[in-house]
Amino acid sequence: MDHGKARVLAAGPRCPSLGMWASKASISRYSVPTPIRTWAMVNEARGSGGGSSDSEGSKDSSRCSTPGLDPERHERLREKMRRRMESGDKWFSLEFFPPRTAEGAANLISMFDQMAGGGPLFIDVTWHPAGDPGSDKETSSMMIASTAVNYCGLETMLHMTCCQQSPEQITGHLYKAKQLGIKNILALRGDPIGDQWEAEEGGFDHATDLVKHIRGEFGDYFDICVAGYPKGHPEAGSFEEDLRHLKEKVSAGADFIITQLFFEADTFFHFLKACSEIGISCPILPGIFPIQSYSSLRQLVKLSKLEVPQEIKDVIEPIKDNDAAICNYGIELAVSLCQELLASGSVPGLHFYTLNRKMATTSVLKRLGMWTEDPRRPLPWAISAHPKRREEDVRPIFWASRPKSYIYRTQDWNEFPNGRWGNSSSPAFGELKNYYLFYLKSKSPRQELLKMWGEELSSEESVFEVFAHYLSGEPNQYGYKVTCLPWNDEPLAAETNLMKQQLLRVNRLGILTINSQPNVNGRPSSDPIVGWGPSGGYVFQKAYLEFFTSRETVEALLQVLRKYELRVNYHIVDVKGENITNAPELQPNAVTWGIFPGREIIQPTVVDPVSFMFWKDEAFALWIEQWGKLYDEESPSRMIIQYIHDNYFLVNLVDNEFPQDSCLWQVVEDAFELLNRPAGLVREVEAS
């Protein structure tokens, strides 16, 4: 491995103290290399739009191409269904609606992340004509569906209705959906705004017209679903007439059908038989509604114009004021219905109307044995479901805990790394100016964050304790558990527990870790803690440690690191951009890789020196944007966070000797030991 001499990459005024230690470590100093400076200038010129539409804005395409680790990333929804049906593997899908508030949008995205863990084949998002559904508002149907695809990695279907829309408006919405990576549409006429359906001048009156329009304008790009009504549409003249309309929708180009809710399995079986007799052969998914409260049942029945069976009314009426009892009954009813449907052998999957609530649906799925929380991951980081990212399998490690931010900052790339990261002088990261986008901000409200991170800070050491409590899981002095940090809004990764005691010690001493991984040498890909990728493989990791620390600790680290020059690569940078490193210029360092049967080696995470300089802007900004701004501007707490932001350094260390026990903890211990030596002994060490 090429270990160059340590050097300073200057991108701002030098820190005299750090410069002194760099000089003593025989570090040469030079300006930012031309490729990096050009890249930064190009990115700055683009502004918040970030990436480019040409080759400068995407990763170098001259890289090896590797077969996908997860075949479902490359399949259309209808292909996934076909494969599941052929294998007899049952699936489920989930329906959500756009919330009315920005806080509701953030909560819904959090629910997407949680529900994704159970393995839905897809989700769908309803279209509300009164809520500006095609806009860029965070509460719009379009933005919720886009976020599910791009930032939550969920196969997503967007509802589209004819209501109050011209064909031109519908086409515009569909082009936007395509650009955002949405590949599936549920084509509906839509419910009337008033009591009666009013046709839009020049618009469509039937879902069949919408299906034809989508196929005419977009060919086979979208997979199209349509609605089926097991008891017939309430406005249809007869059940038989409604079936003929359904057949027309399928003949026009629909790929599958999701039914309106129903309460008895025989209702669905009768509908299924009638569809078969009329020549409908596409998949038909039953719509399942777990009753969750008396009010939600009444509202849904009113909208769907369905009659609730008397035996269900007889149970619910006496307990209509007890939501918990109704919900428990609804779960039992849904489980029984689903078991009867699945036992018939004619139902390939179940579609759940969730009402944006988690508990009832997950309870039903767990009872059915369909909720499968597989600890194995296709890759070590959260993937996006956007079609243009389906080949992506390499990312810098820095955004490991902020994958949505990485996706946001690379959304304008045309190509994504596949097989290897490649040369670092090419990509342009978009600038992150808005830390409060509903899919990027913390899920915890301000008051909860203050309880976790301290309503009042007294010193830098009180900040150290916040990090320690996050790692330990123990309540802080106010009795609250610290469940997130600005750099990680999620609970600790399982592999962090492998280093928990070492991390606790160094954080309490001022090494404020925001990213780490242990060394791994050939563990099975099925390992529940560090495994990823398909079965039968082996995974490897270099020990990695990323942290903020004080100037004094950096000075000690620079001395200690001289002893590890051939083993440890490091980058040390301040908020102004002065970067001290011994890593080869523009050369990424693979820190995670895997070997799988019949495939080339996959290296999904790298330490990339240029990407690190873009990450450091975000990492430093989070001190102020997510933590400092919780306090009044002139308060002592705000000043402490501001001081850390202005004076601490961001450091990453890589131990390249992955087969051996990590030396990074010893590096840190040696630095602490040096810090605690009397001044005279320190001078002797410097002289030696």
Side-chain angles (χ1 to χ4, degrees):
M1 183 172 290
D2 178 18
H3 296 275
K5 288 205 172 207
R7 58 195 184 282
V8 177
L9 306 184
R14 288 189 69 186
C15 154
S17 176
L18 189 62
M20 175 187 71
W21 287 109
S23 176
K24 289 181 178 180
S26 302
I27 298 172
S28 59
R29 172 181 166 83
Y30 56 86
S31 299
V32 178
T34 301
I36 304 179
R37 187 163 58 244
T38 304
W39 178 26
M41 289 177 177
V42 168
N43 191 60
E44 185 177 355
R46 291 185 183 122
S48 60
S52 167
S53 60
D54 56 28
S55 60
E56 281 186 299
S58 59
K59 283 298 299 158
D60 177 11
S61 61
S62 59
R63 59 178 62 81
C64 60
S65 179
T66 58
L69 292 177
D70 181 7
E72 287 203 351
R73 290 180 73 188
H74 300 263
E75 291 178 331
R76 303 178 64 129
L77 179 54
R78 65 192 186 206
E79 292 169 348
K80 295 177 184 179
M81 288 184 179
R82 187 183 305 116
R83 185 161 57 82
R84 297 284 186 101
M85 291 170 70
E86 289 172 353
S87 67
D89 185 13
K90 306 298 184 184
W91 74 80
F92 70 90
S93 51
L94 307 168
E95 179 171 295
F96 301 92
F97 61 84
R100 295 181 179 179
T101 66
E103 183 179 354
N107 291 337
L108 183 58
I109 299 313
S110 175
M111 185 185 295
F112 286 171
D113 288 335
Q114 296 169 38
M115 299 292 269
L121 186 65
F122 66 94
I123 70 163
D124 69 311
V125 179
T126 62
W127 185 269
H128 287 189
D132 202 4
S135 73
D136 291 337
K137 294 178 182 176
E138 53 201 358
T139 55
S140 75
S141 303
M142 188 75 74
M143 285 301 101
I144 294 295
S146 170
T147 302
V149 169
N150 289 285
Y151 298 100
C152 303
L154 289 166
E155 183 81 55
T156 303
M157 181 165 66
L158 175 65
H159 290 211
M160 186 67 62
T161 74
C162 308
C163 187
Q164 294 187 326
Q165 298 194 101
S166 68
E168 292 74 24
Q169 288 173 311
I170 290 172
T171 300
H173 292 318
L174 291 168
Y175 269 114
K176 184 174 183 178
K178 180 179 179 181
Q179 182 183 26
L180 292 172
I182 297 165
K183 302 173 291 181
N184 312 296
I185 299 294
L186 176 51
L188 302 160
R189 186 200 70 172
D191 297 321
I193 299 297
D195 293 332
Q196 298 293 325
W197 174 261
E198 293 183 11
E200 183 77 12
E201 186 175 352
F204 303 135
D205 284 337
H206 303 287
T208 303
D209 301 325
L210 179 54
V211 175
K212 290 178 179 177
H213 179 75
I214 296 171
R215 287 290 178 233
E217 293 291 326
F218 295 90
D220 201 38
Y221 176 80
F222 291 106
D223 282 8
I224 301 176
C225 176
V226 292
Y229 299 86
K231 289 200 169 184
H233 193 283
E235 296 177 21
S238 67
F239 178 75
E240 290 74 21
E241 178 188 326
D242 189 51
L243 271 184
R244 288 194 295 272
H245 290 316
L246 181 58
K247 176 70 181 299
E248 289 171 1
K249 289 189 282 189
V250 174
S251 298
D255 296 294
F256 62 102
I257 298 166
I258 293 177
T259 76
Q260 177 63 276
L261 67 95
F262 54 91
F263 297 100
E264 296 169 319
D266 284 342
T267 302
F268 180 78
F269 295 145
H270 174 260
F271 174 72
L272 204 61
K273 181 181 178 184
C275 287
S276 176
E277 289 174 348
I278 202 173
I280 297 173
S281 58
C282 66
I284 302 176
L285 308 183
I288 308 298
F289 170 60
I291 300 170
Q292 303 185 47
S293 69
Y294 188 72
S295 59
S296 65
L297 175 62
R298 288 188 62 185
Q299 180 67 15
L300 210 58
V301 165
K302 179 182 176 182
L303 289 173
S304 59
K305 299 186 169 106
L306 288 176
E307 182 65 30
V308 179
Q310 188 60 45
E311 57 266 31
I312 295 178
K313 290 181 181 178
D314 291 342
V315 174
I316 285 182
E317 284 296 333
I319 59 172
K320 65 182 180 181
D321 295 325
N322 187 337
D323 281 353
I326 289 181
C327 186
N328 288 334
Y329 171 69
I331 290 170
E332 293 296 329
L333 198 66
V335 169
S336 177
L337 175 62
C338 292
Q339 287 173 335
E340 191 172 352
L341 292 170
L342 294 170
S344 72
S346 56
V347 174
L350 304 169
H351 185 73
F352 285 84
Y353 298 107
T354 70
L355 300 185
N356 287 13
R357 297 177 186 174
K358 175 184 175 184
M359 193 276 287
T361 299
T362 55
S363 295
V364 172
L365 287 165
K366 287 176 181 178
R367 291 271 299 275
L368 296 171
M370 296 179 71
W371 184 266
T372 56
E373 293 188 356
D374 189 345
R376 286 184 300 172
R377 307 158 289 172
L379 289 160
W381 32 261
I383 63 172
S384 168
H386 195 296
K388 72 178 182 179
R389 302 185 85 115
R390 61 167 56 108
E391 301 291 344
E392 178 185 27
D393 64 8
V394 188
R395 289 183 188 172
I397 196 173
F398 318 122
W399 283 272
S401 298
R402 286 179 59 81
K404 290 182 175 65
S405 173
Y406 179 81
I407 292 168
Y408 176 81
R409 297 188 68 175
T410 58
Q411 63 184 316
D412 292 322
W413 289 8
N414 292 329
E415 295 176 333
F416 294 88
N418 170 251
R420 64 185 180 88
W421 180 254
N423 185 283
S424 295
S425 63
S426 173
F429 284 87
E431 188 175 356
L432 181 57
K433 290 185 176 180
N434 187 351
Y435 288 80
Y436 303 97
L437 292 168
F438 71 98
Y439 44 83
L440 295 182
K441 69 180 182 180
S442 175
K443 294 186 288 287
S444 302
R446 179 177 181 274
Q447 287 305 316
E448 284 188 22
L449 294 176
L450 283 169
K451 290 173 182 176
M452 288 191 283
W453 301 345
E455 296 188 10
E456 186 176 336
L457 302 173
S458 58
S459 64
E460 293 170 61
E461 286 71 22
S462 58
V463 174
F464 301 173
E465 282 302 307
V466 173
F467 279 77
H469 282 293
Y470 174 62
L471 287 162
S472 70
E474 297 173 357
N476 61 18
Q477 59 181 328
Y478 307 107
Y480 294 97
K481 289 189 175 183
V482 180
T483 59
C484 64
L485 290 174
W487 305 269
N488 193 344
D489 205 41
E490 303 294 336
L492 290 173
E495 68 177 5
T496 304
N497 287 318
L498 302 176
M499 310 170 287
K500 191 170 183 177
Q501 294 308 311
Q502 296 97 321
L503 287 167
L504 270 171
R505 169 170 165 73
V506 301
N507 275 270
R508 287 197 167 108
L509 294 172
I511 297 283
L512 306 179
T513 56
I514 62 171
N515 196 354
S516 61
Q517 71 176 31
N519 63 305
V520 172
N521 185 21
R523 297 290 292 273
S525 59
S526 57
D527 187 284
I529 296 177
V530 298
W532 55 271
S535 300
Y538 294 90
V539 297
F540 302 80
Q541 293 180 175
K542 295 177 182 177
Y544 177 77
L545 200 59
E546 183 180 336
F547 53 89
F548 290 99
T549 196
S550 67
R551 181 185 313 256
E552 294 75 20
T553 305
V554 165
E555 292 168 351
L557 273 172
L558 280 170
Q559 291 190 71
V560 170
L561 284 168
R562 280 185 286 177
K563 297 190 299 182
Y564 297 88
E565 192 70 30
L566 296 179
R567 179 167 176 175
V568 177
N569 284 129
Y570 58 84
H571 297 81
I572 303 172
V573 64
D574 64 6
V575 70
K576 298 173 183 176
E578 183 177 17
N579 179 24
I580 294 179
T581 179
N582 70 337
E585 181 184 350
L586 304 182
Q587 180 63 48
N589 184 353
V591 291
T592 308
W593 62 100
I595 300 173
F596 304 95
R599 290 177 168 91
E600 297 177 9
I601 293 175
I602 309 294
Q603 52 176 51
T605 57
V606 299
V607 169
D608 172 55
V610 177
S611 300
F612 183 61
M613 297 302 284
F614 285 91
W615 161 247
K616 72 91 183 168
D617 294 334
E618 181 174 335
F620 274 104
L622 286 167
W623 279 107
I624 305 300
E625 297 293 338
Q626 299 280 11
W627 198 337
K629 288 185 178 180
L630 295 175
Y631 309 108
D632 293 337
E633 195 163 350
E634 300 299 325
S635 66
S637 298
R638 177 70 172 266
M639 291 183 192
I640 289 169
I641 297 298
Q642 188 70 53
Y643 176 83
I644 292 174
H645 170 273
D646 294 346
N647 294 280
Y648 275 41
F649 292 80
L650 181 62
V651 180
N652 76 57
L653 306 175
V654 179
D655 180 1
N656 291 297
E657 296 291 345
F658 65 91
Q660 302 181 28
D661 290 342
S662 171
C663 70
L664 299 185
W665 306 114
Q666 191 60 51
V667 169
V668 174
E669 289 294 337
D670 289 351
F672 286 144
E673 194 272 333
L674 188 61
L675 279 171
N676 293 325
R677 286 182 186 177
L681 286 177
V682 172
R683 283 193 291 272
E684 289 179 17
V685 171
E686 292 172 16
S688 65

